[in-house]
Amino acid sequence: MKKLLLCLLTLLLMVSCELETSSNGDLDGLWHLCSIETADSVQDISDKTIFWAVQVNLLSVRGAGTEYLLRFHLTDDSLLVRDPYVSDRFHQMGNDSLVTDPAGLYPYGIFHLQEHFKVERLTNRRMTLKSDKARLRFKKF
């Protein structure tokens, strides 16, 4: 009787849980921003700890002072990032604030509050994104 009850309880728990899955493929994970190429220059920043962290439908960029959270939409050949917020997770106040000036996002290769990137390369180890202002090269960490 105890075994039957345990089996039923386990089955009930498995049925009641909903797993959130991602269809992001190779994009999911932690990406180290290695270089930012603009029309004027190529910045090798591989010695800096600037990261894009992608999980489900949230992009976190961090390492250049302030952490930002952005929404994104991925298709076969493009990535749209939008709605940047300054993260407040370290202060535990729950007051993420909407960004109105994109200047703080520049070190992350994001130059607009809504940025469209062409996905030039996306594998499980490397990523290259190109916007109207820059080409970003990443290595998966």
Side-chain angles (χ1 to χ4, degrees):
M1 183 68 171
K2 286 184 182 182
K3 286 184 181 183
L4 180 61
L5 184 60
L6 183 60
C7 287
L8 287 173
L9 182 60
T10 303
L11 183 62
L12 181 63
L13 286 174
M14 290 174 58
V15 171
S16 67
C17 294
E18 182 179 321
L19 295 177
E20 188 168 353
T21 60
S22 168
S23 60
N24 298 327
D26 288 331
L27 182 64
D28 277 338
L30 185 61
W31 293 93
H32 179 219
L33 181 58
C34 296
S35 70
I36 301 175
E37 302 171 18
T38 63
D40 302 333
S41 67
V42 176
Q43 294 178 326
D44 178 5
I45 55 173
S46 58
D47 60 333
K48 298 189 178 182
T49 55
I50 297 177
F51 291 97
W52 284 29
V54 179
Q55 186 175 9
V56 186
N57 61 1
L58 189 65
L59 167 65
S60 166
V61 294
R62 58 183 177 257
T66 303
E67 179 182 13
Y68 295 93
L69 303 173
L70 300 99
R71 295 286 180 200
F72 72 90
H73 179 72
L74 175 68
T75 63
D76 289 338
D77 64 350
S78 70
L79 176 68
L80 176 69
V81 298
R82 60 182 173 78
D83 303 330
Y85 283 81
V86 174
S87 173
D88 189 40
R89 74 178 172 145
F90 293 113
H91 296 106
Q92 307 290 321
M93 301 298 280
N95 295 324
D96 296 342
S97 54
L98 184 64
V99 174
T100 57
D101 178 8
L105 296 165
Y106 294 173
Y108 302 102
I110 301 170
F111 296 94
H112 304 286
L113 297 176
Q114 180 170 306
E115 187 84 73
H116 178 262
F117 293 98
K118 178 179 184 339
V119 178
E120 293 186 334
R121 179 182 187 185
L122 178 57
T123 67
N124 64 349
R125 302 191 72 164
R126 302 273 180 194
M127 178 169 63
T128 304
L129 303 175
K130 185 177 184 324
S131 70
D132 64 339
K133 295 211 181 262
R135 176 175 283 117
L136 312 179
R137 297 188 190 275
F138 297 85
K139 186 171 136 180
K140 202 161 215 179
F141 195 73

